[in-house]
Structure formats: C-alpha cells, structure tokens
Short mmCIF file of all heavy atoms in Angstrom, two decimals:
data_model
loop_
_atom_site.label_atom_id
_atom_site.label_comp_id
_atom_site.label_asym_id
_atom_site.label_seq_id
_atom_site.Cartn_x
_atom_site.Cartn_y
_atom_site.Cartn_z
N GLY A 1 -9.46 -18.31 7.43
CA GLY A 1 -9.50 -17.03 6.74
C GLY A 1 -10.83 -16.32 7.10
O GLY A 1 -11.89 -16.94 7.12
N PHE A 2 -10.74 -15.02 7.40
CA PHE A 2 -11.92 -14.23 7.82
C PHE A 2 -12.17 -13.18 6.76
O PHE A 2 -11.27 -12.42 6.37
CB PHE A 2 -11.68 -13.56 9.14
CG PHE A 2 -11.52 -14.52 10.33
CD1 PHE A 2 -10.27 -15.04 10.64
CD2 PHE A 2 -12.64 -14.91 11.04
CE1 PHE A 2 -10.13 -15.93 11.70
CE2 PHE A 2 -12.51 -15.83 12.10
CZ PHE A 2 -11.26 -16.33 12.44
N TYR A 3 -13.44 -13.05 6.32
CA TYR A 3 -13.83 -12.11 5.27
C TYR A 3 -15.02 -11.28 5.76
O TYR A 3 -16.01 -11.85 6.28
CB TYR A 3 -14.16 -12.80 3.97
CG TYR A 3 -12.96 -13.49 3.35
CD1 TYR A 3 -12.54 -14.74 3.80
CD2 TYR A 3 -12.29 -12.90 2.30
CE1 TYR A 3 -11.46 -15.37 3.23
CE2 TYR A 3 -11.17 -13.53 1.71
CZ TYR A 3 -10.77 -14.77 2.20
OH TYR A 3 -9.70 -15.39 1.67
N ARG A 4 -14.95 -9.95 5.58
CA ARG A 4 -16.04 -9.09 5.93
C ARG A 4 -17.28 -9.35 5.07
O ARG A 4 -17.12 -9.52 3.82
CB ARG A 4 -15.63 -7.63 5.81
CG ARG A 4 -14.53 -7.19 6.73
CD ARG A 4 -14.15 -5.73 6.48
NE ARG A 4 -15.31 -4.87 6.75
CZ ARG A 4 -15.39 -4.03 7.78
NH1 ARG A 4 -14.39 -3.95 8.64
NH2 ARG A 4 -16.45 -3.30 7.97
N GLU A 5 -18.45 -9.40 5.67
CA GLU A 5 -19.65 -9.62 4.88
C GLU A 5 -20.05 -8.37 4.15
O GLU A 5 -20.67 -8.45 3.06
CB GLU A 5 -20.77 -10.06 5.84
CG GLU A 5 -20.63 -11.46 6.32
CD GLU A 5 -21.89 -12.02 7.01
OE1 GLU A 5 -22.74 -11.18 7.48
OE2 GLU A 5 -22.07 -13.23 6.99
N ASP A 6 -19.74 -7.19 4.65
CA ASP A 6 -20.20 -5.95 4.01
C ASP A 6 -19.37 -5.61 2.77
O ASP A 6 -19.92 -5.06 1.81
CB ASP A 6 -20.18 -4.79 5.01
CG ASP A 6 -18.83 -4.59 5.70
OD1 ASP A 6 -17.94 -5.45 5.50
OD2 ASP A 6 -18.68 -3.58 6.43
N THR A 7 -18.08 -5.91 2.75
CA THR A 7 -17.21 -5.54 1.62
C THR A 7 -16.59 -6.73 0.96
O THR A 7 -16.05 -6.58 -0.16
CB THR A 7 -16.05 -4.61 2.13
OG1 THR A 7 -15.24 -5.35 3.05
CG2 THR A 7 -16.65 -3.38 2.84
N GLY A 8 -16.59 -7.90 1.57
CA GLY A 8 -15.92 -9.06 1.02
C GLY A 8 -14.43 -9.03 1.25
O GLY A 8 -13.71 -9.94 0.86
N GLU A 9 -13.94 -7.97 1.90
CA GLU A 9 -12.49 -7.80 2.14
C GLU A 9 -12.00 -8.82 3.15
O GLU A 9 -12.65 -9.10 4.16
CB GLU A 9 -12.26 -6.40 2.65
CG GLU A 9 -10.83 -6.10 3.03
CD GLU A 9 -10.66 -4.74 3.66
OE1 GLU A 9 -11.70 -4.08 3.93
OE2 GLU A 9 -9.52 -4.34 3.91
N LYS A 10 -10.81 -9.37 2.87
CA LYS A 10 -10.20 -10.33 3.77
C LYS A 10 -9.53 -9.59 4.93
O LYS A 10 -8.88 -8.57 4.71
CB LYS A 10 -9.17 -11.20 3.07
CG LYS A 10 -8.52 -12.24 3.99
CD LYS A 10 -7.44 -13.03 3.30
CE LYS A 10 -6.77 -14.01 4.24
NZ LYS A 10 -5.71 -14.81 3.57
N LEU A 11 -9.69 -10.13 6.13
CA LEU A 11 -8.95 -9.59 7.27
C LEU A 11 -7.52 -10.17 7.19
O LEU A 11 -7.37 -11.41 7.23
CB LEU A 11 -9.63 -9.98 8.59
CG LEU A 11 -11.11 -9.58 8.76
CD1 LEU A 11 -11.57 -9.89 10.19
CD2 LEU A 11 -11.28 -8.09 8.47
N LEU A 12 -6.57 -9.30 7.12
CA LEU A 12 -5.20 -9.75 6.90
C LEU A 12 -4.58 -10.35 8.17
O LEU A 12 -4.81 -9.88 9.26
CB LEU A 12 -4.34 -8.61 6.41
CG LEU A 12 -4.76 -7.95 5.10
CD1 LEU A 12 -3.80 -6.83 4.71
CD2 LEU A 12 -4.83 -8.98 3.98
N LEU A 13 -3.80 -11.41 7.94
CA LEU A 13 -3.00 -11.98 9.00
C LEU A 13 -1.88 -11.00 9.33
O LEU A 13 -1.57 -10.11 8.54
CB LEU A 13 -2.42 -13.32 8.58
CG LEU A 13 -3.44 -14.39 8.15
CD1 LEU A 13 -2.68 -15.63 7.63
CD2 LEU A 13 -4.37 -14.74 9.27
N PRO A 14 -1.26 -11.14 10.50
CA PRO A 14 -0.22 -10.18 10.88
C PRO A 14 0.86 -10.04 9.83
O PRO A 14 1.25 -8.94 9.49
CB PRO A 14 0.33 -10.79 12.20
CG PRO A 14 -0.84 -11.51 12.78
CD PRO A 14 -1.60 -12.07 11.61
N GLU A 15 1.36 -11.14 9.28
CA GLU A 15 2.45 -11.05 8.31
C GLU A 15 1.92 -10.49 6.97
O GLU A 15 2.60 -9.75 6.28
CB GLU A 15 3.11 -12.42 8.05
CG GLU A 15 2.18 -13.49 7.51
CD GLU A 15 1.56 -14.30 8.62
OE1 GLU A 15 1.47 -13.78 9.77
OE2 GLU A 15 1.22 -15.48 8.39
N GLU A 16 0.63 -10.79 6.64
CA GLU A 16 0.04 -10.19 5.44
C GLU A 16 -0.15 -8.68 5.61
O GLU A 16 0.05 -7.91 4.69
CB GLU A 16 -1.30 -10.85 5.14
CG GLU A 16 -1.21 -12.29 4.71
CD GLU A 16 -2.52 -12.98 4.56
OE1 GLU A 16 -3.52 -12.59 5.26
OE2 GLU A 16 -2.64 -13.87 3.73
N LEU A 17 -0.54 -8.30 6.82
CA LEU A 17 -0.71 -6.87 7.13
C LEU A 17 0.63 -6.15 7.02
O LEU A 17 0.72 -5.05 6.47
CB LEU A 17 -1.31 -6.72 8.53
CG LEU A 17 -1.58 -5.28 8.97
CD1 LEU A 17 -2.54 -4.58 8.04
CD2 LEU A 17 -2.08 -5.23 10.39
N THR A 18 1.69 -6.83 7.52
CA THR A 18 3.04 -6.22 7.40
C THR A 18 3.43 -6.03 5.95
O THR A 18 3.93 -4.97 5.56
CB THR A 18 4.06 -7.11 8.12
OG1 THR A 18 3.72 -7.22 9.51
CG2 THR A 18 5.47 -6.51 8.02
N ARG A 19 3.19 -7.08 5.15
CA ARG A 19 3.50 -6.97 3.72
C ARG A 19 2.70 -5.86 3.05
O ARG A 19 3.22 -5.10 2.22
CB ARG A 19 3.32 -8.31 3.02
CG ARG A 19 4.37 -9.37 3.35
CD ARG A 19 4.32 -10.48 2.32
NE ARG A 19 3.05 -11.16 2.33
CZ ARG A 19 2.81 -12.25 3.09
NH1 ARG A 19 3.73 -12.71 3.91
NH2 ARG A 19 1.64 -12.84 3.05
N ALA A 20 1.44 -5.80 3.38
CA ALA A 20 0.55 -4.78 2.80
C ALA A 20 1.03 -3.37 3.16
O ALA A 20 1.03 -2.48 2.32
CB ALA A 20 -0.88 -5.02 3.24
N LEU A 21 1.45 -3.20 4.44
CA LEU A 21 1.91 -1.91 4.86
C LEU A 21 3.22 -1.56 4.15
O LEU A 21 3.44 -0.40 3.75
CB LEU A 21 2.13 -1.90 6.38
CG LEU A 21 0.86 -1.93 7.23
CD1 LEU A 21 1.21 -2.06 8.71
CD2 LEU A 21 0.04 -0.66 7.00
N GLN A 22 4.09 -2.57 3.99
CA GLN A 22 5.35 -2.32 3.28
C GLN A 22 5.10 -1.94 1.83
O GLN A 22 5.72 -1.02 1.29
CB GLN A 22 6.22 -3.57 3.32
CG GLN A 22 6.79 -3.86 4.72
CD GLN A 22 7.50 -5.23 4.78
OE1 GLN A 22 7.28 -6.11 3.93
NE2 GLN A 22 8.35 -5.39 5.79
N GLN A 23 4.15 -2.62 1.18
CA GLN A 23 3.80 -2.32 -0.18
C GLN A 23 3.18 -0.91 -0.29
O GLN A 23 3.47 -0.15 -1.25
CB GLN A 23 2.82 -3.37 -0.71
CG GLN A 23 3.47 -4.73 -0.93
CD GLN A 23 2.46 -5.80 -1.28
OE1 GLN A 23 1.27 -5.56 -1.30
NE2 GLN A 23 2.96 -7.02 -1.57
N GLU A 24 2.36 -0.57 0.72
CA GLU A 24 1.75 0.77 0.72
C GLU A 24 2.82 1.83 0.86
O GLU A 24 2.76 2.87 0.20
CB GLU A 24 0.73 0.86 1.86
CG GLU A 24 0.01 2.19 1.90
CD GLU A 24 -1.03 2.24 3.01
OE1 GLU A 24 -1.38 1.19 3.58
OE2 GLU A 24 -1.48 3.36 3.34
N VAL A 25 3.77 1.62 1.78
CA VAL A 25 4.87 2.57 1.99
C VAL A 25 5.69 2.71 0.70
O VAL A 25 6.02 3.83 0.28
CB VAL A 25 5.76 2.16 3.16
CG1 VAL A 25 7.02 3.01 3.22
CG2 VAL A 25 5.00 2.26 4.47
N LEU A 26 6.00 1.57 0.04
CA LEU A 26 6.77 1.59 -1.20
C LEU A 26 6.01 2.33 -2.30
O LEU A 26 6.59 3.16 -3.00
CB LEU A 26 7.05 0.15 -1.63
CG LEU A 26 7.85 0.02 -2.97
CD1 LEU A 26 9.21 0.73 -2.84
CD2 LEU A 26 8.04 -1.45 -3.34
N ALA A 27 4.70 2.05 -2.39
CA ALA A 27 3.88 2.75 -3.40
C ALA A 27 3.83 4.26 -3.14
O ALA A 27 3.91 5.04 -4.10
CB ALA A 27 2.48 2.15 -3.43
N ARG A 28 3.75 4.63 -1.87
CA ARG A 28 3.72 6.06 -1.54
C ARG A 28 5.03 6.69 -1.89
O ARG A 28 5.10 7.82 -2.41
CB ARG A 28 3.41 6.24 -0.06
CG ARG A 28 3.22 7.68 0.36
CD ARG A 28 2.93 7.87 1.80
NE ARG A 28 1.67 7.26 2.17
CZ ARG A 28 1.57 6.21 2.98
NH1 ARG A 28 2.63 5.65 3.52
NH2 ARG A 28 0.37 5.74 3.29
N GLN A 29 6.17 6.01 -1.59
CA GLN A 29 7.49 6.54 -1.90
C GLN A 29 7.63 6.71 -3.39
O GLN A 29 8.17 7.73 -3.88
CB GLN A 29 8.58 5.62 -1.35
CG GLN A 29 8.69 5.61 0.17
CD GLN A 29 9.69 4.59 0.66
OE1 GLN A 29 10.03 3.65 -0.05
NE2 GLN A 29 10.15 4.77 1.90
N GLN A 30 7.19 5.70 -4.17
CA GLN A 30 7.28 5.76 -5.63
C GLN A 30 6.44 6.92 -6.18
O GLN A 30 6.87 7.63 -7.08
CB GLN A 30 6.87 4.44 -6.25
CG GLN A 30 7.85 3.32 -5.98
CD GLN A 30 7.35 1.99 -6.44
OE1 GLN A 30 6.14 1.78 -6.66
NE2 GLN A 30 8.21 0.99 -6.59
N ALA A 31 5.23 7.08 -5.57
CA ALA A 31 4.37 8.20 -6.01
C ALA A 31 5.01 9.56 -5.72
O ALA A 31 4.94 10.47 -6.51
CB ALA A 31 3.01 8.08 -5.32
N GLU A 32 5.66 9.65 -4.54
CA GLU A 32 6.33 10.87 -4.18
C GLU A 32 7.51 11.13 -5.09
O GLU A 32 7.76 12.30 -5.47
CB GLU A 32 6.77 10.81 -2.73
CG GLU A 32 5.64 10.86 -1.71
CD GLU A 32 6.11 10.64 -0.25
OE1 GLU A 32 7.33 10.31 -0.09
OE2 GLU A 32 5.29 10.76 0.67
N GLU A 33 8.24 10.05 -5.45
CA GLU A 33 9.37 10.23 -6.38
C GLU A 33 8.87 10.71 -7.75
O GLU A 33 9.51 11.56 -8.39
CB GLU A 33 10.14 8.91 -6.50
CG GLU A 33 10.91 8.55 -5.22
CD GLU A 33 11.54 7.16 -5.30
OE1 GLU A 33 11.34 6.48 -6.34
OE2 GLU A 33 12.21 6.76 -4.37
N ARG A 34 7.78 10.08 -8.23
CA ARG A 34 7.21 10.50 -9.54
C ARG A 34 6.77 11.96 -9.48
O ARG A 34 6.99 12.72 -10.42
CB ARG A 34 6.07 9.59 -9.91
CG ARG A 34 6.50 8.20 -10.35
CD ARG A 34 5.36 7.46 -11.04
NE ARG A 34 4.23 7.21 -10.13
CZ ARG A 34 4.11 6.15 -9.40
NH1 ARG A 34 5.05 5.21 -9.39
NH2 ARG A 34 3.07 6.00 -8.64
N ALA A 35 6.14 12.35 -8.36
CA ALA A 35 5.68 13.72 -8.23
C ALA A 35 6.85 14.69 -8.22
O ALA A 35 6.81 15.79 -8.81
CB ALA A 35 4.87 13.86 -6.95
N GLU A 36 7.97 14.27 -7.54
CA GLU A 36 9.14 15.13 -7.49
C GLU A 36 9.77 15.24 -8.89
O GLU A 36 10.21 16.34 -9.30
CB GLU A 36 10.16 14.54 -6.49
CG GLU A 36 11.46 15.30 -6.44
CD GLU A 36 11.31 16.74 -5.97
OE1 GLU A 36 10.27 17.08 -5.36
OE2 GLU A 36 12.24 17.53 -6.21
N GLN A 37 9.77 14.14 -9.63
CA GLN A 37 10.31 14.17 -10.97
C GLN A 37 9.48 15.09 -11.87
O GLN A 37 10.02 15.85 -12.66
CB GLN A 37 10.39 12.76 -11.57
CG GLN A 37 11.41 11.87 -10.92
CD GLN A 37 11.32 10.43 -11.33
OE1 GLN A 37 10.36 10.03 -12.06
NE2 GLN A 37 12.22 9.58 -10.91
N GLU A 38 8.16 15.01 -11.72
CA GLU A 38 7.26 15.89 -12.46
C GLU A 38 7.49 17.35 -12.09
O GLU A 38 7.51 18.25 -12.95
CB GLU A 38 5.81 15.50 -12.25
CG GLU A 38 5.39 14.18 -12.88
CD GLU A 38 5.47 14.26 -14.40
OE1 GLU A 38 5.22 15.34 -14.95
OE2 GLU A 38 5.82 13.22 -15.00
N ARG A 39 7.71 17.57 -10.80
CA ARG A 39 7.94 18.95 -10.34
C ARG A 39 9.24 19.50 -10.94
O ARG A 39 9.31 20.64 -11.39
CB ARG A 39 8.00 19.01 -8.80
CG ARG A 39 8.08 20.40 -8.23
CD ARG A 39 8.48 20.39 -6.77
NE ARG A 39 9.87 19.91 -6.63
CZ ARG A 39 10.97 20.66 -6.85
NH1 ARG A 39 10.81 21.90 -7.31
NH2 ARG A 39 12.16 20.17 -6.71
N GLN A 40 10.27 18.61 -10.95
CA GLN A 40 11.55 19.03 -11.53
C GLN A 40 11.46 19.30 -13.01
O GLN A 40 12.02 20.29 -13.50
CB GLN A 40 12.61 17.96 -11.24
CG GLN A 40 13.00 17.84 -9.75
CD GLN A 40 13.98 16.69 -9.53
OE1 GLN A 40 14.37 15.98 -10.44
NE2 GLN A 40 14.40 16.57 -8.27
N ARG A 41 10.69 18.43 -13.71
CA ARG A 41 10.49 18.68 -15.17
C ARG A 41 9.76 19.95 -15.39
O ARG A 41 10.07 20.73 -16.31
CB ARG A 41 9.78 17.47 -15.81
CG ARG A 41 10.67 16.31 -16.06
CD ARG A 41 9.97 15.31 -17.02
NE ARG A 41 8.81 14.70 -16.44
CZ ARG A 41 8.90 13.52 -15.76
NH1 ARG A 41 10.07 12.88 -15.65
NH2 ARG A 41 7.83 13.00 -15.26
N ALA A 42 8.74 20.20 -14.60
CA ALA A 42 7.98 21.43 -14.72
C ALA A 42 8.85 22.66 -14.44
O ALA A 42 8.75 23.68 -15.15
CB ALA A 42 6.77 21.43 -13.76
#
C-alpha cells in the first residue's frame, strides 16, 4: 500500500480506482437527479 506523505491519501489500486470512479459517477448522477427534482418542484 502506498500513501502520500503530504496528504496521507492512499494511492488507489487499479480496481480501487475503478470502484472510486464508479462511485463518483453514481454520486454525480444522484446529485443531478436531486437537482432536477428540486428544479421541477420549484
């Protein structure tokens, strides 16, 4: 496991990076859906 000394952040393995990107995409989609719902309610 590799960790940055400046931030303590772990350097992700390829499969971890893939999961993180998938989670980021899902979170962005959910945020966009919530924003659209708010826009529709408004």
